[in-house]
């Protein structure tokens, strides 16, 4: 939200006369005019991006002005933000952040000891252990999830959320489904969460999901511009920023779309490096050795466990090619956590291999450390117990 809107919001809270003037506005143009007459020179774009967040002050006029802005935009899109009315909405975003990081342990801490949790037509969960089991089972079947919130509002101890939930499947395909959540709050915990949606297309890609199914579909099938609420949460919320530093980054920043968590220059560099490491892994899986070499510095240092050091891009790809031909083929991995520091990326994962001779599939827990110069890896260390190879 722009500083001008923040200042106007603060003054409106303290000045009933200004607040009343703003309530008389019936169109975006009249609102901008009243604001300008009172020393706040807003643009329609700034107003559009702020409407949801200032709903508490400006009342139902927001709804009519929002419709006007939708109709007046040349692209038939508008910046839609969540309608906020209370403090429990922050609790919802914090819960969603656990889900997007696949942090089931953190997820269940937001519930009371006697919760009611129901996802679609699945069995109702009546304790934290059941919720964790349900969440873990679901996370194991997808690569990433993102909550694109359209509207969020609070009435008493109940929070309503209307959104599209986007899922990236294990095969790389993606589906976005409409969803309505109802939360009931006791103190600072959720006593009940009911998720109303048809999630079947996630598991069966043959089920058609039309674009118009989106909650962002407006009159005549026009699509409203999504607000990116959860992306902003990870970029701006102090707790979310700290969790990212501690390895709980959202999976959509690691796989799927690989969205950057922030847009400032430092994080753009970090996002580019993380993207490069992800593409390096994909190139190894595809056995595209020329592409693999493009992500390595000329003096690359590569070492697996206590094995011999391998130096240079060609030696690294020769090592991979020889291993894939004679011992085991790397075909996939499940990332648990990712940590990023200045030019260093640490990834904890389960690496999946298929043995060349027996065709048996083996999962090896490992931790990879990458040191980068620019977007190229200069040092790559793999810490793992590779003995399962010898037992297969």
């Amino acid at each position: 939200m722009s500083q001008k809107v923040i200042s106007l919001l603060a003054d409106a809270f303290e000045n009933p006369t200004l607040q009343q003037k703003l309530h008389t506005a019936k169109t975006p143009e009249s609102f901008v005019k009243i604001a300008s007459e009172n020393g706040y020179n807003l643009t329609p774009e700034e107003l559009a991006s702020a409407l949801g967040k200032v709903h508490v002050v400006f009342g139902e006029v927001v709804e009519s002005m929002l419709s006007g802005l939708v109709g007046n935009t040349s692209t038939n899109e508008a910046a839609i933000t969540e309608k906020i009315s209370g403090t429990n909405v922050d609790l919802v975003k914090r819960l969603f952040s656990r889900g997007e990081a696949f942090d089931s342990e953190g997820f269940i801490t937001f519930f009371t000891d006697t919760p009611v949790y129901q996802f679609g037509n699945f069995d109702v969960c009546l304790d934290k252990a059941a919720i964790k089991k349900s969440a873990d089972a679901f996370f194991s079947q997808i690569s990433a999830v993102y909550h694109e919130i359209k509207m969020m509002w609070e009435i008493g101890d109940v929070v309503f959320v209307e959104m599209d939930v986007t899922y990236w499947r294990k095969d790389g395909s993606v589906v976005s489904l409409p969803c309505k959540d109802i939360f009931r709050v006791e103190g600072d915990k959720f006593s009940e969460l009911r998720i109303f949606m048809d999630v079947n297309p996630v598991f069966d890609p043959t089920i058609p999901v039309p674009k118009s199914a989106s909650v962002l579909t407006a009159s005549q099938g026009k699509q409203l511009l999504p607000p990116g609420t959860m992306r902003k949460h990870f970029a701006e919320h102090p707790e979310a920023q700290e969790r990212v530093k501690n390895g709980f980054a959202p999976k959509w920043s690691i796989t799927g779309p690989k969205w950057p968590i922030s847009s400032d220059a430092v994080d753009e560099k970090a996002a580019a490096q993380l993207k490069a490491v992800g593409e390096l892994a994909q190139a190894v899986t595809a056995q595209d050795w020329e592409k693999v070499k493009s992500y390595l510095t000329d003096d690359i240092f590569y070492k697996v466990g206590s094995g011999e050091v391998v130096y240079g891009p060609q030696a690294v790809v020769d090592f991979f090619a020889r291993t894939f031909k004679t011992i085991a083929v790397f075909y996939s991995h499940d990332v648990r956590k990712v940590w990023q520091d200045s030019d260093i990326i640490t990834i904890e994962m389960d690496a999946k291999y298929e043995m060349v001779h027996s065709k048996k599939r083996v999962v090896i827990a490992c931790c990879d450390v990458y040191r980068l110069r620019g977007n190229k890896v200069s040092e790559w260390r793999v810490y793992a117990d590779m003995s399962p190879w010898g037992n297969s």
Side-chain angles (χ1 to χ4, degrees):
M1 189 183 299
S2 74
Q3 187 59 49
K4 286 183 288 186
V5 173
I6 293 172
S7 298
L8 176 59
L9 177 62
D11 286 354
F13 271 117
E14 300 295 330
N15 186 339
T17 301
L18 174 59
Q19 191 175 136
Q20 185 59 43
K21 289 179 180 178
L22 294 170
H23 272 272
T24 65
K26 300 299 181 184
T27 66
E29 291 76 14
S30 61
F31 187 96
V32 170
K33 181 180 179 183
I34 292 171
S36 178
E37 289 172 348
N38 287 271
Y40 299 91
N41 295 315
L42 306 179
T43 66
E45 291 76 16
E46 288 173 319
L47 175 60
S49 68
L51 284 178
K53 296 180 181 179
V54 300
H55 184 273
V56 170
V57 174
F58 299 132
E60 293 305 316
V61 67
V62 166
E63 304 297 338
S64 61
M65 287 196 298
L66 187 55
S67 298
L69 283 167
V70 172
N72 290 336
T73 52
S74 60
T75 59
N76 294 319
E77 295 181 337
I80 306 300
T81 55
E82 68 274 27
K83 182 193 294 186
I84 297 178
S85 55
T87 59
N88 288 332
V89 293
D90 185 63
L91 202 63
V92 171
K93 293 180 191 177
R94 292 170 60 206
L95 178 74
F96 285 165
S97 76
R98 270 62 174 179
E100 293 183 7
F102 287 14
D103 176 15
S104 59
E105 288 283 359
F107 189 82
I108 62 174
T109 63
F110 282 76
F111 291 90
T112 63
D113 291 334
T114 56
V116 176
Y117 174 91
Q118 185 172 23
F119 190 151
N121 292 322
F122 293 111
D123 289 341
V124 178
C125 300
L126 298 175
D127 56 47
K128 292 180 180 179
I131 295 175
K132 184 178 186 303
K133 183 178 179 180
S134 174
D136 283 335
F138 195 85
F139 294 156
S140 71
Q141 299 178 73
I142 59 174
S143 293
V145 60
Y146 180 73
H147 303 81
E148 187 62 89
I149 297 168
K150 177 186 178 183
M151 299 289 280
M152 180 156 48
W153 64 101
E154 182 180 348
I155 300 176
D157 62 354
V158 180
V159 180
F160 301 91
V161 184
E162 184 183 17
M163 60 188 165
D164 286 341
V165 185
T166 301
Y167 300 94
W168 286 265
R169 303 186 184 96
K170 290 286 190 178
D171 64 3
S173 60
V174 60
V175 62
S176 189
L177 303 173
C179 177
K180 178 67 173 287
D181 282 3
I182 299 178
F183 295 83
R184 287 178 172 83
V185 184
E186 287 184 9
D188 61 351
K189 303 284 185 181
F190 296 118
S191 62
E192 187 172 338
L193 168 55
R194 296 189 185 271
I195 302 168
F196 297 91
M197 70 180 303
D198 177 7
V199 76
N200 289 292
V202 173
F203 311 111
D204 184 357
T206 66
I207 299 176
V209 180
K211 185 178 179 182
S212 58
S214 169
V215 300
L216 297 173
T217 301
S219 177
Q220 300 178 341
K222 301 167 185 174
Q223 290 290 299
L224 304 173
L225 186 66
T229 300
M230 288 307 300
R231 291 182 66 179
K232 293 176 184 176
H233 176 83
F234 276 98
E236 299 171 1
H237 196 287
E239 180 193 70
Q241 292 173 332
E242 188 65 25
R243 281 175 52 78
V244 170
K245 291 178 182 177
N246 290 327
F248 291 100
K251 296 298 182 182
W252 44 257
S253 68
I254 302 166
T255 186
K258 295 187 176 69
W259 291 326
I261 293 174
S262 178
S263 60
D264 63 51
V266 174
D267 286 343
E268 281 184 356
K269 175 186 175 184
Q273 290 183 333
L274 186 61
K275 181 174 183 288
V277 169
E279 291 174 350
L280 169 60
Q282 293 173 357
V284 171
T285 304
Q287 300 186 39
D288 185 344
W289 305 130
E290 289 303 314
K291 189 170 184 179
V292 169
K293 288 192 288 185
S294 72
Y295 290 102
L296 308 177
T297 62
D298 291 339
D299 59 345
I300 173 70
F301 171 111
Y302 179 75
K303 191 174 190 292
V304 178
S306 300
E308 293 290 338
V309 177
V310 177
Y311 295 100
Q314 188 59 52
V316 171
V317 299
D318 288 346
F319 174 87
F320 284 133
R322 183 171 60 253
T323 301
F324 287 8
K325 184 177 181 180
T326 61
I327 304 176
V329 177
F330 171 73
Y331 68 89
S332 182
H333 65 279
D334 287 335
V335 175
R336 293 178 184 172
K337 293 183 182 179
V338 177
W339 294 266
Q340 272 190 278
D341 203 347
S342 179
D343 296 320
I344 300 175
I345 296 175
T346 302
I347 302 179
E348 180 188 0
M349 72 181 88
D350 286 334
K352 299 180 179 181
Y353 296 88
E354 182 176 285
M355 306 309 296
V356 171
H357 299 297
S358 68
K359 302 303 178 183
K360 181 179 178 180
R361 292 198 163 183
V362 175
V363 177
I364 295 178
C366 65
C367 183
D368 285 15
V369 178
Y370 304 84
R371 288 177 171 83
L372 295 98
R373 290 203 296 269
N375 291 336
K376 290 192 175 187
V377 177
S378 61
E379 183 178 336
W380 183 356
R381 293 179 183 264
V382 180
Y383 295 91
D385 177 1
M386 308 304 292
S387 61
W389 281 4
N391 298 326
S392 300

